Each structure stands twice: as C-alpha cells, then as structure tokens.
Amino acid sequence: MKDYDEQLATLQLALLKTQQAMIASGERALIVLEGRDAAGKDGTIKRITEHLTPRSTRVVSLPKPSDYERGQWYFQRYVAHLPGAGELVIFNRSWYNRAGVEVVMGFSTKAEQAEFLRDAPDLERMLVESGIRIVKIWLDIDRGEQKKRLAARHDDPLKALKISDMDAVAQDRWKDYSEARDLMLARTHSPIAPWHCVRADHKKPARLAVMRHIVREIAPPSVAKHVGDPDPAILFPFDQQATVDGRLSK
C-alpha cells in the first residue's frame, strides 16, 4: 500500500498525543476488538500500542474461564480489567465471546446467550455513564481470505502460537458464526455504545482505518482535527442492512 508507513507513523503519533492527554486528564478508554478468526486483531493491536507507554496501556486477552470463574457472574472477570484513570485498555476478544464462539461451539447455552444479549447493552450504558469511553470494532473478512490466513499459520513457525483448536472448525462453522455475528451486532448496537465494522480482507488499509476511528473517537479535538475520517468503504457504523447487502461476509 502506497504511503502506508507514512500514514501509520502519523496515526501512531496522534495516538501518543491522545494518551498524553488522557494521562493528564485521568480519562479512561476501552476498546473492544472483535472479529472473525484470523481477521487481524493481533496485528492491529500491535500497531495501535507500538509507541504507547505500557504503564497506561493494557491489552486483555483472557484464557478460557477456570472452574471458579465459571461459578461467577459472567461479566465479573472482565470487569476486573476495566481501565483506571488515564488508562487505555484493549480487549482482544471480550465479553462478546458469549455471543460468538461460546454459543457456536456449545460452551454456553442459548438461554445464556439470550441473557447476555439482554444484559450487555445495560452494562455498557453503565460504563459509559461512569465516564469510560467505549469503542467497539468488529473486523470482518470473507471465507476465502480466512482459509488462506489460517493455512499460513501452519506454514510459518513464527505463527505457531496463533494456532488454536478453534482454527480447525472456523471454516466448517462459517455459517453458524455469521448468524451469531448478525444477532450480536443487531442486539448490542446502541447509540451510547455503537458497533463499527471493518472490511479487513486487506490488512494495512484496515489497520489504518481502525486507528483513525479510535483517534476520532477518543482524542481531544486539538488532535482529532488533524486526522481525517476513515474510508467509509472500509470502516462503517453497523446497520441491519449490512448483514444482507454484502458489506459483512455471509
């Protein structure tokens, strides 16, 4: 992609200035990054955090719950990782596991999924009203691109830690994941905590779009005004029509 490195550096500087302002003001921000398997979450997070201070930046990617955690209120282990004053927290997968992989793979029941879809918007409303700024992003890729990326993990020894048991069924359960995604987005998209979707078949434009969106959402006006809006062909606010008009892969 032409001038990718230049755009990346500009956006990383804007994120750095944003973090400086957050530390000074005590603002709190939470980025919820969800998406298809192999949609590029890890690479996107790496570019977002590359030049930010670890003291005020946390990436949360929780393992499967322990027996003790399974006996807790579902949201409890996620709430423990919410940002404090001046912090930016990125959830690489989040409580939305319950609306996606858990229900598709049978780790939770339909009743538990329905309870989650009812409760999640209320939780997010409370978080926003408490002063936490929430940015929710869904990364979407088409089936052929996912197949190619999953295969590449097995061909590259440096990607060995990216391989998981879920990879083996991502393609077989493609339709189930699509249906779970559509229901999740429709039921948890709200004015106070909206979803934005990203066409992530091409990694570099997708990363830049996500970073632009984050800056536009959480940066002070003095920083945000120098960063243009993301390309709407790549990043767009969720609406129900996106599930049928081709913007989200079926």
Side-chain angles (χ1 to χ4, degrees):
M1 178 181 177
K2 189 177 180 180
D3 75 350
Y4 169 75
D5 290 338
E6 181 179 344
Q7 291 188 59
L8 179 63
T10 298
L11 290 168
Q12 288 178 330
L13 178 58
L15 286 167
L16 180 60
K17 291 179 178 178
T18 300
Q19 185 167 62
Q20 289 174 319
M22 288 178 59
I23 293 170
S25 67
E27 285 193 76
R28 297 168 290 160
L30 174 65
I31 298 170
V32 174
L33 196 60
E34 294 284 341
R36 297 270 194 184
D37 288 325
K41 294 181 291 296
D42 291 342
T44 300
I45 291 170
K46 180 178 178 180
R47 274 68 182 185
I48 293 169
T49 62
E50 188 171 6
H51 298 291
L52 301 181
T53 175
R55 292 189 300 275
S56 299
T57 310
R58 287 189 288 119
V59 177
V60 178
S61 183
L62 298 182
K64 65 180 182 180
S66 65
D67 289 341
Y68 176 74
E69 288 171 329
R70 280 194 285 270
Q72 296 176 338
W73 174 50
Y74 174 72
F75 294 101
Q76 189 167 335
R77 70 184 191 130
Y78 295 101
V79 168
H81 296 278
L82 291 173
E87 277 194 316
L88 171 66
V89 171
I90 302 174
F91 277 152
N92 183 354
R93 296 198 182 278
S94 64
W95 44 71
Y96 283 102
N97 276 336
R98 173 134 297 178
V101 63
E102 285 192 17
V103 71
V104 170
M105 297 303 299
F107 302 148
S108 60
T109 66
K110 289 286 188 180
E112 289 171 327
Q113 180 198 32
E115 181 180 9
F116 169 83
L117 293 172
R118 182 195 69 213
D119 292 346
D122 288 334
L123 173 70
E124 291 168 2
R125 174 185 52 78
M126 288 188 287
L127 296 181
V128 172
E129 290 176 349
S130 79
I132 296 177
R133 306 182 76 168
I134 299 180
V135 180
K136 300 192 305 188
I137 299 171
W138 172 267
L139 298 179
D140 209 66
I141 54 176
D142 68 32
R143 191 170 189 172
E145 181 64 18
Q146 185 190 67
K147 182 178 181 179
K148 182 175 73 174
R149 292 185 188 181
L150 291 175
R153 291 179 177 181
H154 293 270
D155 297 334
D156 186 347
L158 293 176
K159 295 182 178 180
L161 294 177
K162 286 181 172 286
I163 298 172
S164 74
D165 294 340
M166 298 298 102
D167 292 353
V169 295
Q171 290 272 293
D172 293 340
R173 299 289 185 92
W174 179 269
K175 183 178 179 182
D176 295 333
Y177 274 114
S178 296
E179 291 174 352
R181 173 205 62 197
D182 293 351
L183 180 60
M184 178 195 81
L185 293 175
R187 292 286 300 278
T188 62
H189 177 73
S190 67
I192 200 168
W195 280 104
H196 282 75
C197 304
V198 181
R199 291 298 316 169
D201 294 311
H202 301 288
K203 292 181 180 180
K204 290 182 177 180
R207 291 169 186 163
L208 296 178
V210 169
M211 294 168 73
R212 286 184 184 280
H213 177 62
I214 292 170
V215 172
R216 298 288 292 179
E217 288 292 307
I218 71 173
S222 60
V223 175
K225 70 180 182 181
H226 297 294
V227 173
D229 290 328
D231 182 345
I234 299 174
L235 185 147
F236 54 91
F238 172 75
D239 66 82
Q240 194 67 46
Q241 192 63 23
T243 64
V244 296
D245 65 11
R247 283 178 290 163
L248 292 172
S249 296
K250 299 298 286 184

